[in-house]
Amino acid sequence: MRAVQVVGFGRAVEVVDVAEPVLERPDDVVVRIAGAGICRTDLHIVAGGLQAAFSQQLPLTLGHENAGRIEAVGAGVSHLAVGDAVIVHPAVTCGFCAACRRGADMHCAAWRFPGVDGWPGGYAELMRTSARALVKLDLAPGESPAHLAPFADAGLTAMHAVRRLMPFVGAGGSAAAGIGAGAGIGATVVCLGSGGVGQIAVQLLKTLTPARVVVVEPDEARAQTARKLGADEVVTLPAEAAADAVLDLTTGHGAEAVLDLVGEGAVPQQALRMLAKGAAYSIVGYGGGAYIEHLDMINRELTSFQQLAIVLGIAVSALVNYLINLWAGGSNTDHLGGLAAWRWMLGAEVVPAILYGILSTMIPESPRFLVAIGDDERARKVLAEVEGTQANVADRIAEIRGQLAGEVKPKLVDLLTPSRRNLLAVVWIGMGLSVLQQFVGINVIFYYSSLLWQSVGINTSNSLLISMISAAVNIAGTVVAMALVDRIGRRPLLLIGSVGMMVTLGLCAWMFSYGSHVNGKTTLPKAQGVTALLGANAYVFFFAMSWGVVVWVLLGEMFPNRIRAVALSVAASAQWLANWLVTVSFPSLSRWSLAGAYSLYAIAAAISIPFVIYLVRETKGKTLESMG
């Protein structure tokens, strides 16, 4: 028989002759295909976009939206007969596992996806499937079911998405009785996109809920179709530019639910803007891959809070050192309980180290790791503890296992260009960001803060107080960065910080040049000393509100998914090497010239400006796949 197959990723499909399928199991059914839908998933398969996720081997017969009439049935099939018109469910499931028994077929332990994962699909004259995957159609003997084929995927997808949103927008007719009843009075649901799935979703929403349906669709022909199908409002703008229009339609309140049928570029971020408080956001489209702002709800917040935790730790350590010095008498060489104050400062580090060790024993292994090593029982316990007793732990385990199955671990060689002679440009840029973050000298302020101010004539007690003030400024700057990083973007914050650091470091270098040596001690005139103090703290603020937080955010976002983990590790390694170099070089540089040392840091800040302008790309609202 003839079949349409993918014979090479990125190449045109071919019509080839293949063997006819035969019944292999008692519940098998062979269907003569009357019609098969073309889905965007098929286009992704042809392009090679799902090769890793499904471990696809070529040649592959496409087709997961199928309808036809039964050609043959297995010995165990009694409710279907040859000649019956059927629509074919996209998945072949076992019917026996826990997921199948509770109706969650898509999480079946033996789940197969004909036309996608290697099982031959319906772009052929005949297709083998299971009786469980077939729905009998009430058609006349000579009537073709071909036109119903797209409902096998597009229809199911739309129905699944709408049912998930119904508790938020309410149930209307008897078909949805008892699901979110009454919740939809005055509610608004937004459909982003009105292609095949969107047009079905509009009809389902109008049939099953009392909510007002707003469709966002820039194509006028599709927009007109949406109106005919019952959409209450149609916004003829691109989805990535429609948030303000939706907010206007809801008097600023936002929609109770957004059904995103685009799911790429800046659309998810705009969709989140459209939502009312406590609303639901459901993504059906996935054409653009993984999206920064979705990860950002986790990644950006966690990296920002990581930086905040670090600067809080610095502040606490500065406070402890100041109090120890004060109790000892005002000098780090004064004694407290028979030991010099500086020894107590060093010994105080044992307390958080012990606390860290105790707390680390309480951290559970991640469910992902536990599933990867086959310890599902412990993974279930962790998931139940983290996500609560209401979580569907079995589904989460199946979801994690599916993700692991499609995971391709990156290697260092993946960071090289095709010629294998150089690193990818994006890797160099990530390393450059890491190195410049350290070369501006921020850790000199915190590692040598007390000694730095003592070197220009400030006594020990006051130098520790200044260190504590700098730590508080660091916290304030970090909070500002967390508030602005998603409002104005990564690059603008970096540039503001670079200019601010260049000016303030240059000011400090200038003030330190006024230092004079008297009786072996360096002192600054009062005016220059105050100016240097203000300049140094202003520098800390500019660093904290920009490079301190944003570099970590960028490193988590700028690399494509396929190399992200290993590229991030290389960039972080470069950062630690640069940190080491700055740390070990400062004592020698300060003995040579404190003003000269700060001039070098100011030059690094100046270099960072063109580096950001010409090499660093904005990651806010960009897909991971588009980076690099």
Side-chain angles (χ1 to χ4, degrees):
M1 68 174 186
R2 292 174 301 167
V4 176
Q5 291 190 331
V6 179
V7 295
F9 294 118
R11 293 170 49 186
V13 296
E14 295 183 8
V15 178
V16 299
D17 288 319
V18 298
E20 292 187 359
V22 296
L23 300 172
E24 299 178 9
R25 301 182 308 188
D27 63 338
D28 275 355
V29 176
V30 174
V31 177
R32 181 166 293 278
I33 300 298
I38 296 177
C39 174
R40 187 159 60 168
T41 299
D42 297 310
L43 303 181
H44 284 308
I45 293 171
V46 172
L50 299 180
Q51 179 184 7
F54 290 95
S55 302
Q56 293 167 331
Q57 301 294 318
L58 300 183
L60 168 65
T61 301
L62 292 169
H64 61 279
E65 298 180 350
N66 307 298
R69 290 189 178 272
I70 293 177
E71 183 81 4
V73 297
V77 180
S78 59
H79 65 292
L80 297 170
V82 173
D84 285 347
V86 291
I87 188 169
V88 185
H89 191 284
V92 174
T93 56
C94 70
F96 301 107
C97 68
C100 286
R101 290 200 302 272
R102 66 172 181 272
D105 289 42
M106 295 306 287
H107 298 302
C108 172
W111 181 83
R112 295 298 305 272
F113 198 169
V116 177
D117 70 354
W119 184 302
Y123 285 9
E125 296 178 58
L126 298 170
M127 171 187 174
R128 181 176 69 89
T129 184
S130 73
R132 183 177 172 81
L134 298 177
V135 176
K136 187 175 178 180
L137 300 172
D138 186 14
L139 298 180
E143 186 178 355
S144 172
H147 65 289
L148 298 174
F151 286 93
D153 187 10
L156 282 178
T157 299
M159 185 64 188
H160 180 67
V162 168
R163 287 182 65 86
R164 289 175 68 90
L165 296 180
M166 284 168 63
F168 297 88
V169 299
S174 59
I179 303 179
I185 300 173
T188 297
V189 59
V190 177
C191 285
L192 301 180
S194 184
V197 177
Q199 290 171 13
I200 297 172
V202 168
Q203 296 175 76
L204 290 171
L205 286 166
K206 293 302 296 180
T207 302
L208 301 176
T209 79
R212 177 174 62 157
V213 178
V214 176
V215 172
V216 176
E217 175 55 66
D219 183 84
E220 186 54 46
R222 289 183 173 184
Q224 189 60 36
T225 299
R227 292 187 185 96
K228 292 178 180 178
L229 294 174
D232 297 291
E233 303 280 353
V234 178
V235 177
T236 54
L237 291 172
E240 59 268 24
D244 290 336
V246 170
L247 291 173
D248 287 342
L249 287 172
T250 57
T251 62
H253 171 73
E256 279 68 29
V258 172
L259 179 56
D260 185 352
L261 302 161
V262 180
E264 60 187 6
V267 174
Q269 291 75 56
Q270 292 297 305
L272 293 176
R273 284 189 58 212
M274 299 174 188
L275 292 175
K277 289 185 178 179
Y281 174 39
S282 178
I283 296 183
V284 176
Y286 61 93
Y291 306 96
I292 291 299
E293 298 300 336
H294 294 170
L295 296 174
D296 219 24
M297 291 188 284
I298 301 171
N299 179 63
R300 190 262 306 160
E301 290 182 10
L302 288 183
T303 52
S304 297
F305 276 106
Q306 169 195 315
Q307 183 67 12
L308 181 61
I310 291 171
V311 299
L312 284 172
I314 292 172
V316 170
S317 66
L319 175 61
V320 169
N321 287 343
Y322 175 72
L323 292 175
I324 290 173
N325 189 75
L326 193 64
W327 293 333
S331 171
N332 58 15
T333 57
D334 287 342
H335 282 65
L336 179 66
L339 293 174
W342 69 266
R343 293 184 183 274
W344 283 105
M345 295 176 190
L346 188 63
E349 297 175 9
V350 172
V351 175
I354 292 174
L355 183 61
Y356 177 86
I358 294 172
L359 292 175
S360 65
T361 63
M362 303 177 186
I363 302 173
E365 294 286 0
S366 73
R368 183 181 178 87
F369 169 76
L370 293 172
V371 172
I373 64 172
D375 196 344
D376 287 11
E377 187 58 36
R378 286 176 64 196
R380 290 188 186 93
K381 292 180 181 179
V382 173
L383 283 167
E385 290 175 3
V386 174
E387 300 188 2
T389 56
Q390 300 303 313
N392 193 329
V393 173
D395 283 357
R396 291 286 288 112
I397 294 286
E399 179 184 355
I400 292 169
R401 187 177 289 113
Q403 292 171 347
L404 290 171
E407 189 177 71
V408 178
K409 293 185 178 180
K411 303 180 289 292
L412 282 172
V413 71
D414 295 328
L415 303 184
L416 300 177
T417 59
S419 67
R420 296 291 190 263
R421 296 178 181 177
N422 199 358
L423 290 173
L424 294 168
V426 71
V427 179
W428 282 115
I429 294 169
M431 293 170 64
L433 281 168
S434 293
V435 170
L436 284 171
Q437 186 200 47
Q438 297 302 312
F439 276 10
V440 296
I442 186 61
N443 284 319
V444 166
I445 290 286
F446 295 110
Y447 292 171
Y448 297 106
S449 181
S450 179
L451 293 175
L452 170 64
W453 295 113
Q454 290 175 47
S455 71
V456 291
I458 296 174
N459 65 43
T460 302
S461 184
N462 287 339
S463 68
L464 290 171
L465 178 60
I466 292 170
S467 299
M468 194 167 62
I469 293 171
S470 297
V473 171
N474 198 16
I475 294 172
T478 301
V479 172
V480 169
M482 292 172 65
L484 295 180
V485 68
D486 274 334
R487 292 178 180 268
I488 68 174
R490 286 66 161 147
R491 290 179 77 248
L493 268 186
L494 287 179
L495 289 172
I496 292 170
S498 293
V499 172
M501 290 189 299
M502 178 185 68
V503 172
T504 52
L505 285 167
L507 178 64
C508 288
W510 184 22
M511 294 302 103
F512 288 145
S513 70
Y514 285 90
S516 58
H517 298 273
V518 179
N519 297 325
K521 292 186 177 180
T522 303
T523 60
L524 283 178
K526 184 175 181 180
Q528 281 78 7
V530 171
T531 304
L533 177 60
L534 294 175
N537 281 294
Y539 157 67
V540 170
F541 178 81
F542 278 113
F543 176 87
M545 59 83 64
S546 59
W547 285 73
V549 168
V550 176
V551 167
W552 286 108
V553 174
L554 277 171
L555 291 179
E557 296 176 341
M558 65 185 292
F559 302 115
N561 266 341
R562 62 185 178 84
I563 63 167
R564 184 166 173 263
V566 67
L568 179 56
S569 66
V570 169
S573 298
Q575 188 172 115
W576 282 108
L577 286 172
N579 182 2
W580 171 81
L581 182 59
V582 169
T583 302
V584 299
S585 64
F586 177 73
S588 299
L589 286 173
S590 63
R591 285 192 295 271
W592 163 64
S593 169
L594 189 57
Y598 269 69
S599 296
L600 292 175
Y601 304 146
I603 291 171
I607 292 172
S608 72
I609 297 173
F611 183 88
V612 172
I613 291 174
Y614 295 109
L615 295 177
V616 177
R617 296 172 62 184
E618 180 61 69
T619 60
K620 182 176 181 288
K622 300 292 181 66
T623 66
L624 290 177
E625 284 80 2
S626 70
M627 305 313 297

